[in-house]
Amino acid sequence: MLENRIKFRHLQCFIEVARQGSVSRAADLLSLTQPAVSKKLKELEEMLEVQLLDRSKKGVALTQFGEVFLKYAGASMAALREGTDSLIQAQMKGKARISIGVLPTVAASILPASVIRFRQSGLDVTLNLISGPNTLLLGQLRVGELDLVVGRLAEPELMSGLSFQHLYSERVSFVVRPGHPLLARAPFNIQQLGHYPVLYPTRDSIITASVERFLISQGLSTPPDRIETISDSFGKEYIRQTDAIWIISRGVVAREILEGELMELPINTLETLGPVGLTTRADTLPTPAIQMFMNSVRNTAEQMEARAGQR
């Protein structure tokens, strides 16, 4: 039987190449070599006796046969994952496990209250929370290592095969310690930022592009005296001990700003607003446990927005 010859790796390679439009990018995401991916695609086409992909210098595109097959291949992969998860959960006798990817920019703001709300449901689930740069988390989400990513909306080229649900929008802040010399300058001049060291988002941070665009719009270049980091704990402590300026998503330091532990410089950063939400695989239905966690995050976001509107 033909279907007995088609293996999981055949479908996995085909689906990822279709999503990426590139054999090389698909190989990178699957941690395979390009020849290995190409071989699986060739085997699949030979078994089906049709051409699934058009290859050119511009990349790879689906043929009409490929478009039809992709629909069923995606459904098969999703069903296989759901079946595997069900067996694993059954073997664990109620001790289910869901893996959530969290960007550092939202881990300190919305996540703690969301986890508290979720655990109040009494569901016997172990939460595996993983923090890291956006590109890494989305790559893990695509291959099933993560069930959900909570964070900012990624660039369009990174969202292939993924689905995003908006929760709220968040802007970037320029934060300093209380008593910082810039707080006493009146009127404040943004050009004075160049006189101080800066804690700056790393190159793979989701907010880097919007920060760079904002600085350019203000006639500023990338700060030469900078430390690139996504460590919230380091940032908060370093700012308290020095005259450095921290460029960070406001949600990370909202509590410290509210309590007066850190101060915002009077800079209008509305143009850095970016959507924060829930990212899942487009071809997979969330399990009941994941859906309940997503609902907890939504409810927390709604309460957070309501409180912000009252202030």
Side-chain angles (χ1 to χ4, degrees):
M1 297 290 289
L2 176 61
E3 58 268 25
N4 292 336
R5 296 167 54 199
I6 298 176
K7 307 298 183 185
F8 174 83
R9 186 63 86 180
H10 290 123
L11 298 181
Q12 188 181 39
C13 290
F14 169 69
I15 291 171
E16 201 56 54
V17 169
R19 287 174 177 167
Q20 300 302 319
S22 165
V23 173
S24 61
R25 287 199 296 270
D28 289 341
L29 288 170
L30 295 172
S31 298
L32 296 172
T33 63
Q34 291 185 43
V37 173
S38 296
K39 179 181 178 182
K40 291 301 178 184
L41 295 175
K42 182 179 179 182
E43 290 174 353
L44 182 59
E45 289 180 325
E46 289 177 348
M47 285 186 282
L48 296 173
E49 297 182 347
V50 295
Q51 184 177 347
L52 298 173
L53 299 161
D54 278 327
R55 299 149 176 91
S56 68
K57 293 181 179 179
K58 296 181 179 180
V60 180
L62 290 169
T63 64
Q64 290 184 340
F65 290 113
E67 290 177 356
V68 172
F69 187 69
L70 178 61
K71 175 182 176 182
Y72 295 99
S76 298
M77 290 282 286
L80 180 60
R81 280 194 294 267
E82 290 172 7
T84 302
D85 289 344
S86 297
L87 287 176
I88 292 174
Q89 292 180 16
Q91 290 174 334
M92 295 173 72
K93 297 180 180 180
K95 294 182 180 179
R97 178 187 179 92
I98 56 178
S99 295
I100 313 296
V102 187
L103 289 185
T105 52
V106 301
S109 56
I110 193 174
L111 199 66
S114 300
V115 171
I116 291 171
R117 184 185 296 272
F118 175 75
R119 290 178 63 84
Q120 288 172 346
S121 68
L123 200 63
D124 188 10
V125 172
T126 297
L127 290 177
N128 179 30
L129 303 177
I130 299 173
S131 183
N134 202 48
T135 50
L136 174 63
L137 295 181
L138 293 183
Q140 292 176 327
L141 177 64
R142 279 196 185 88
V143 299
E145 293 178 8
L146 294 176
D147 301 301
L148 170 71
V149 171
V150 186
R152 278 205 176 200
L153 175 63
E155 297 298 323
E157 60 269 19
L158 295 177
M159 291 301 295
S160 175
L162 302 177
S163 175
F164 180 84
Q165 300 176 34
H166 181 267
L167 294 172
Y168 62 94
S169 294
E170 185 175 65
R171 63 181 174 85
V172 169
S173 286
F174 289 66
V175 183
V176 296
R177 64 171 178 82
H180 191 282
L182 284 180
L183 295 173
R185 299 284 180 90
F188 175 80
N189 184 352
I190 195 171
Q191 300 298 325
Q192 296 167 346
L193 295 180
H195 300 156
Y196 298 90
V198 174
L199 294 187
Y200 199 80
T202 58
R203 293 181 181 179
D204 54 4
S205 172
I206 191 66
I207 66 171
T208 301
S210 61
V211 169
E212 290 176 345
R213 287 193 296 267
F214 176 76
L215 292 176
I216 291 172
S217 73
Q218 301 298 312
L220 298 170
S221 59
T222 303
D225 184 7
R226 68 183 185 275
I227 300 172
E228 297 182 357
T229 180
I230 59 171
S231 172
D232 300 341
S233 56
F234 170 77
K236 292 174 182 177
E237 193 57 37
Y238 191 78
I239 288 298
R240 291 188 180 102
Q241 297 183 30
T242 70
D243 283 341
I245 300 165
W246 191 10
I247 305 177
I248 188 67
S249 287
R250 195 180 190 281
V252 175
V253 290
R255 182 184 64 81
E256 286 79 4
I257 292 173
L258 183 63
E259 296 177 359
E261 297 176 20
L262 297 176
M263 307 294 289
E264 280 186 285
L265 291 177
I267 300 173
N268 185 349
T269 59
L270 284 179
E271 66 182 82
T272 66
L273 272 175
V276 175
L278 306 167
T279 303
T280 56
R281 292 187 297 275
D283 60 355
T284 304
L285 290 175
T287 64
I290 296 170
Q291 189 62 59
M292 289 180 67
F293 185 84
M294 292 169 68
N295 290 339
S296 297
V297 178
R298 286 193 196 94
N299 292 336
T300 301
E302 290 173 0
Q303 287 192 351
M304 183 180 70
E305 288 286 89
R307 288 195 298 269
Q310 294 171 0
R311 290 200 291 268

